[in-house]
Amino acid sequence: NKGVTLIELVIVLAIFTIIISATVNIFISVAKQQRRVLEEQELSSQVSYAIEYISRTTRTAVKDTTGGCLGSLGYIYLLTHYNLVSGFYGGVKFITKDNNCWEFFLDTDGVLKEVKNGSQPQNILSSKFKIKYNRFIINGDKNLQQAIGNGLIQPRVTISLDIQTEINGDQQGKVFQT
């Protein structure tokens, strides 16, 4: 007799179920990995833009000859938003050669923002990414709060960001610095 027995049918169905289950699990794993890669790519893209934007803008800083922006004559940069816990400054303020008073800082909501000429703060990064900490440092000295230009040498401003993102339920942090 060449008919299929019930035991054979159950075995074939079990093998078929195992193969389908493995295929679905592989597909789900690939989809999660792709989502993680896209999240990391978006983070990298936004941070790259933000750091380049801040760098380009801070390079246009000139001495405050009136004291109207930085509060004192002759300053080029003034660090703001001091964090007592970390001992670092979370913002930098300066005046540009086209006479705009500019400030970049980490707001209390964990989002990096900018203020231009006293306007409302604008987000630089998506609020999707929370910044654990940021630091602005002048000439490599965390104790300096301001920079005064000496001749032709422009003071250096270093920015460091620790950005938290949640990818597939995992909290991940990345540190960026320039």
Side-chain angles (χ1 to χ4, degrees):
N1 187 1
K2 303 232 180 192
V4 177
T5 66
L6 185 59
I7 294 174
E8 291 172 335
L9 185 61
V10 168
I11 292 172
V12 168
L13 283 174
I15 292 171
F16 181 71
T17 303
I18 290 170
I19 291 172
I20 293 297
S21 176
T23 304
V24 168
N25 284 338
I26 290 171
F27 178 75
I28 290 171
S29 176
V30 167
K32 283 182 179 180
Q33 181 69 14
Q34 178 68 17
R35 184 171 168 220
R36 187 181 68 73
V37 167
L38 289 174
E39 286 279 332
E40 286 183 3
Q41 188 176 25
E42 181 183 1
L43 172 65
S44 179
S45 176
Q46 282 199 30
V47 170
S48 177
Y49 164 77
I51 286 179
E52 177 60 28
Y53 178 67
I54 292 169
S55 296
R56 189 172 10 98
T57 308
T58 56
R59 282 193 299 266
T60 65
V62 296
K63 284 184 182 181
D64 188 352
T65 57
T66 65
C69 178
L70 305 180
S72 292
L73 296 176
Y75 287 176
I76 294 180
Y77 299 112
L78 177 67
L79 296 183
T80 60
H81 295 81
Y82 184 73
N83 184 324
L84 287 170
V85 176
S86 70
F88 287 94
Y89 291 92
V92 64
K93 193 171 187 180
F94 55 94
I95 191 165
T96 61
K97 58 186 168 190
D98 54 352
N99 210 31
N100 288 313
C101 184
W102 222 298
E103 182 178 16
F104 294 105
F105 64 97
L106 180 63
D107 205 350
T108 55
D109 60 3
V111 178
L112 191 63
K113 297 187 178 181
E114 71 173 325
V115 172
K116 183 178 176 183
N117 293 327
S119 65
Q120 289 293 325
Q122 300 293 316
N123 292 3
I124 298 175
L125 287 173
S126 167
S127 57
K128 175 180 184 178
F129 304 112
K130 295 296 179 200
I131 299 176
K132 185 175 176 182
Y133 74 80
N134 78 319
R135 295 174 178 161
F136 286 95
I137 302 170
I138 295 176
N139 292 335
D141 185 350
K142 82 171 203 162
N143 297 315
L144 284 180
Q145 185 184 7
Q146 70 277 342
I148 300 172
N150 296 340
L152 299 175
I153 299 174
Q154 182 82 349
R156 284 186 334 266
V157 175
T158 302
I159 180 173
S160 180
L161 302 169
D162 182 353
I163 300 179
Q164 301 293 312
T165 183
E166 190 169 313
I167 300 173
N168 295 334
D170 292 335
Q171 193 79 353
Q172 296 182 353
K174 297 207 181 275
V175 177
F176 300 88
Q177 180 176 318
T178 187

